[in-house]
């Protein structure tokens, strides 16, 4: 942790600043979790040790709850699971993810003390719990969790006061970090990383956080590496500059971001982009054609219509009725596309959904068209090295590749690769996938430029011999990783 120093950030309290200069893609620090648990909804599909998604998992023979890739993962996760295993057996049922996480944290602190590592910069006692700021409904849920925790907590373990237990619940409520699967595409769990809690928010941050799953596959445990987060620089950071990450998605307008930050993290954002309402005009603006813009009334009418259609679209999507999703999106786009700007966030949402669902239904050319529009809009809004932009470019590149539009597809894959090299680093599984994709599309592009007819003939022959399989089913709106920190539902 020699790369960072704690300081008092004006208007924010404690924060971290750089102790030296950094460049894009540099790992400023990495940190293993104090504790982490798999979400209740993924308990049987995700390894409870390495958090990787596997087709077949081995179940713990004692508690019948925890699942692991194999014996190696089970041994690696035993230190965290040992007391939990006995507690679940004694309790007779499995408590929710919040209770499991708090329990794992308290067992570890009881065993190792408030500082579990020489690299830990803060204790949990020093972190804010914001219990006094919680809404009445959230407080009721908290009381239920505490009541169930007391029933679950073994009598043989060290007993704690209600205040201490409440504090830990409050800390994970506003500081629990979303843990993703090995591809970084889906939130599958939540963990607590004390040093990361010191990194303050900015809507236009200079850092990003990525989860490195480590490795427990080697037979010899000396070669194992821990699951850890990495704080990576998005660009040049000067010595002494505050390190910041975005707690919420920048694709919201400033008023909505401020509302989310106030209700979820209990502070008022005064960053430059919120103060100046940067990009708000084009996020909710009208389309300009030959210098002519639609009236404010037309833009408002189209915006309201788009919002209503998004509600219907989300409902159809959750029901798995993808043809209905396409119908709703097409109806909305036909009416609002001539009015709303290509950076309008509702328009972008429609294009994104249409692209994803049409690709799933294997209408690749239409999916590619909407994916390209989506990326062009994102480029005008997001930071050049934003991970969301990189993931969107990757998706668009793959869709163009599947549609046989190899020139555009290769360009988008290369753009995605350049961004993810900064945000994820060269060893992350998704970056490795992109590298293989980049080499494949580059080879196909050379073939295409030499002889277009031969390229398309070979492509059609390959598809006849091995037809394209259906893509993964589009994720529901709840499953996307929208925010940096996990919010208790």
């Amino acid at each position: 942790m020699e790369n960072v120093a704690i300081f008092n950030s004006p208007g924010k309290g404690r924060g971290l600043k750089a102790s030296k200069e950094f460049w894009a893609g540099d790992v400023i620090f990495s940190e293993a979790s104090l504790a982490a648990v798999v979400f209740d909804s993924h308990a049987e599909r995700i390894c409870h040790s390495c958090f990787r998604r596997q087709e077949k998992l081995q179940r713990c023979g004692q508690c019948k709850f925890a699942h692991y890739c194999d014996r190696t993962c089970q041994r690696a996760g035993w230190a965290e699971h040992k007391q939990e295993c006995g507690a679940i057996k004694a309790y007779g049922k499995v408590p929710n993810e919040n209770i499991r996480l708090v329990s794992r944290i308290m067992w570890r602190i009881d065993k190792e003390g408030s500082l579990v590592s020489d690299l830990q910069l803060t204790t949990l006692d020093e972190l804010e719990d914001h219990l006094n700021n919680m809404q009445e409904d959230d407080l009721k849920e908290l009381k239920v969790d505490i009541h169930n925790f007391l029933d679950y907590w073994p009598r043989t373990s060290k007993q704690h006061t209600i205040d201490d237990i409440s504090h830990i619940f409050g800390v994970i409520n506003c500081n629990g970090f979303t843990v993703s699967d090995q591809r970084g595409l889906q939130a599958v769990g939540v963990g607590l990383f004390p040093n990361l809690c010191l990194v303050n928010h900015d809507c236009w941050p200079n850092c990003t956080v990525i989860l490195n799953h480590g490795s427990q596959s080697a037979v010899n445990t000396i070669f194992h590496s821990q699951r850890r987060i990495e704080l990576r620089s998005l660009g040049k950071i000067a010595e002494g500059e505050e390190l910041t990450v975005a707690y919420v998605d920048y694709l919201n307008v400033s008023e909505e971001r401020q509302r989310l930050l106030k209700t979820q993290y209990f502070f008022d954002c005064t960053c430059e982009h919120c103060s100046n309402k940067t990009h708000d005009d084009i996020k909710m603006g009208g389309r300009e054609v030959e210098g002519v813009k639609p009236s404010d009334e037309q833009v408002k009418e189209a915006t309201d219509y788009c919002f209503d259609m998004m509600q219907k679209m989300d409902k159809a999507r959750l029901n798995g009725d993808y043809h209905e999703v396409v119908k709703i999106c097409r109806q909305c786009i036909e009416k609002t596309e001539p009015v709303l700007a290509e950076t309008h966030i509702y328009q972008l949402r429609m294009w994104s959904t249409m692209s994803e669902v049409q690709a799933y239904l294997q209408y690749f050319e239409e999916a590619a068209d909407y994916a390209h529009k989506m990326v062009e809009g994102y480029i005008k809004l997001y930071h050049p090295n934003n991970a969301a932009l990189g993931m969107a470019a990757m998706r668009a590149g793959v869709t163009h590749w599947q549609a046989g539009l190899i020139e555009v597809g290769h360009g988008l894959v290369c753009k995605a690769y350049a961004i993810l090299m900064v945000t994820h680093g060269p060893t992350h599984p998704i970056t490795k996938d992109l590298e293989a994709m980049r080499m494949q599309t580059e080879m196909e592009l050379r073939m295409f430029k030499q002889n277009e007819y031969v390229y398309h003939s070979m492509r059609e022959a390959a598809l006849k011999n091995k037809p394209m399989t259906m893509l993964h089913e589009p994720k529901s709106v709840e499953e996307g990783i929208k925010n940096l920190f996990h919010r208790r539902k």
Side-chain angles (χ1 to χ4, degrees):
M1 298 300 293
E2 66 277 2
N3 290 341
V4 300
I6 298 178
F7 80 116
N8 285 319
S9 178
K12 297 180 181 179
R14 292 191 305 165
L16 293 183
K17 63 179 180 180
S19 299
K20 66 176 189 178
E21 189 175 72
F22 293 102
W23 295 88
D26 285 346
V27 177
I28 299 169
F29 71 78
S30 61
E31 180 185 16
S33 62
L34 182 65
V37 295
V38 173
F39 287 151
D40 300 337
S41 56
H42 293 279
E44 296 181 2
R45 302 194 297 274
I46 300 293
C47 174
H48 288 217
S49 177
C50 70
F51 284 74
R52 286 176 168 83
R53 183 182 298 280
Q54 299 285 3
E55 289 296 322
K56 291 184 179 180
L57 294 170
Q58 297 180 8
R59 191 172 66 171
C60 173
Q62 297 295 314
C63 67
K64 313 295 184 186
F65 168 68
H67 289 71
Y68 301 97
C69 299
D70 48 35
R71 290 280 186 185
T72 305
C73 272
Q74 189 169 8
R75 282 194 294 269
W78 181 241
E80 274 195 295
H81 179 57
K82 182 179 179 180
Q83 288 173 291
E84 175 186 74
C85 187
I88 290 173
K89 282 200 299 179
Y91 189 45
K93 57 184 178 181
V94 180
N96 68 36
E97 61 214 30
N98 301 301
I99 296 171
R100 288 189 287 117
L101 181 57
V102 169
S103 300
R104 284 191 170 198
I105 291 169
M106 298 189 82
W107 277 318
R108 186 164 185 193
I109 291 174
D110 288 347
K111 181 181 178 181
E112 301 178 36
S114 57
L115 290 174
V116 300
S117 164
D118 293 338
L119 301 177
Q120 190 176 322
L121 298 175
T122 182
T123 65
L124 264 61
D125 290 340
E126 296 171 312
L127 295 176
E128 292 284 347
D129 57 30
H130 293 290
L131 293 175
N132 294 331
N133 303 113
M134 291 178 71
Q135 299 293 319
E136 188 176 343
D137 288 345
D138 291 334
L139 281 172
K140 285 181 181 177
E141 288 183 23
L142 175 65
K143 288 177 181 177
V144 171
D145 276 349
I146 292 172
H147 180 271
N148 291 333
F149 172 88
L150 292 171
D151 287 342
Y152 168 70
W153 187 252
R155 299 294 175 261
T156 53
S157 294
K158 180 183 175 181
Q159 299 303 301
H160 296 271
T161 66
I162 297 294
D163 286 346
D164 288 344
I165 297 167
S166 301
H167 175 71
I168 302 297
F169 271 103
V171 167
I172 68 163
N173 184 48
C174 51
N175 289 291
F177 178 76
T178 298
V179 176
S180 63
D181 60 9
Q182 69 268 36
R183 293 279 177 241
L185 298 176
Q186 188 177 17
V188 297
V190 57
L192 188 67
F193 300 81
N195 293 342
L196 179 62
C197 297
L198 295 173
V199 182
N200 286 319
H201 163 83
D202 194 289
C203 291
W204 198 261
N206 54 18
C207 298
T208 190
V209 185
I210 194 68
L211 184 75
N212 186 321
H213 281 262
S215 173
Q216 290 88 33
S217 60
V219 175
N220 192 335
T221 56
I222 197 171
F223 298 113
H224 290 184
S225 57
Q226 288 180 299
R227 175 185 63 247
R228 61 196 183 276
I229 56 95
E230 292 177 349
L231 187 73
R232 306 179 70 93
S233 172
L234 291 177
K236 183 181 177 182
I237 298 176
E239 182 180 348
E241 186 178 342
E242 182 174 11
L243 304 173
T244 57
V245 293
Y247 291 3
V248 295
D249 189 4
Y250 182 68
L251 215 58
N252 295 305
V253 293
S254 56
E255 185 180 350
E256 177 64 8
R257 292 198 307 273
Q258 287 179 315
R259 186 192 68 79
L260 290 170
L261 291 165
K262 185 67 173 177
T263 56
Q264 295 181 7
Y265 306 105
F266 312 107
F267 69 87
D268 296 306
C269 184
T270 57
C271 76
E272 183 181 339
H273 281 67
C274 279
S275 300
N276 297 335
K277 300 187 182 298
T278 309
H279 292 146
D280 280 7
D281 54 341
I282 59 174
K283 285 180 183 178
M284 298 298 282
R287 179 184 295 273
E288 185 174 338
V289 181
E290 297 179 354
V292 179
K293 281 187 177 182
S295 67
D296 292 344
E297 290 76 14
Q298 287 176 307
V299 173
K300 186 181 185 306
E301 183 184 347
T303 299
D304 291 343
Y305 178 78
C306 203
F307 181 81
D308 291 339
M309 295 300 277
M310 283 196 304
Q311 309 303 306
K312 295 179 182 178
M313 177 193 74
D314 287 340
K315 186 177 180 181
R317 196 174 180 180
L318 287 169
N319 292 333
D321 189 350
Y322 298 119
H323 290 286
E324 180 65 18
V325 171
V326 171
K327 180 182 174 183
I328 292 168
C329 287
R330 202 186 303 282
Q331 184 180 338
C332 181
I333 289 168
E334 285 175 1
K335 182 170 181 177
T336 62
E337 200 171 58
V339 180
L340 301 181
E342 64 273 15
T343 50
H344 195 290
I345 55 177
Y346 294 172
Q347 186 91 280
L348 290 170
R349 173 85 184 281
M350 281 292 174
W351 287 340
S352 174
T353 303
M354 190 68 157
S355 164
E356 189 177 0
V357 173
Q358 288 292 70
Y360 173 69
L361 298 174
Q362 300 198 352
Y363 296 106
F364 293 116
E365 288 191 22
E366 189 177 11
D369 180 48
Y370 287 115
H372 195 267
K373 290 178 180 179
M374 172 190 69
V375 171
E376 289 298 309
Y378 281 6
I379 287 171
K380 295 174 182 177
L381 295 176
Y382 275 126
H383 185 288
N385 284 330
N386 187 289
L389 173 59
M391 299 297 281
M394 179 183 73
R395 201 177 95 198
V398 171
T399 306
H400 279 79
W401 184 16
Q402 290 167 324
L405 305 169
I406 190 64
E407 289 179 290
V408 179
H410 177 66
L412 286 165
V413 167
C414 288
K415 181 172 185 62
Y417 181 71
I419 295 172
L420 266 64
M421 279 290 286
V422 172
T423 59
H424 290 61
T427 61
H428 194 280
I430 206 161
T431 315
K432 289 181 177 179
D433 287 349
L434 264 174
E435 168 65 5
M437 232 181 278
R438 188 177 65 87
M439 293 171 67
Q440 176 69 22
T441 55
E442 186 176 349
M443 179 190 71
E444 291 187 22
L445 182 59
R446 283 199 300 268
M447 187 189 302
F448 174 82
K449 288 183 175 178
Q450 288 170 0
N451 192 315
E452 290 185 34
Y453 176 76
V454 171
Y455 166 74
H456 285 294
S457 298
M458 290 180 67
R459 185 175 182 276
E460 286 175 17
L463 289 176
K464 284 179 182 177
N465 291 330
K466 188 179 179 182
M468 288 184 182
T469 56
M470 292 289 274
L471 301 177
H472 291 299
E473 190 170 351
K475 298 180 182 66
S476 68
V477 286
E478 279 87 0
E479 289 182 323
I481 303 179
K482 296 295 184 188
N483 297 336
L484 174 66
F485 291 106
H486 167 66
R487 278 288 293 166
R488 180 167 56 83
K489 291 177 182 173

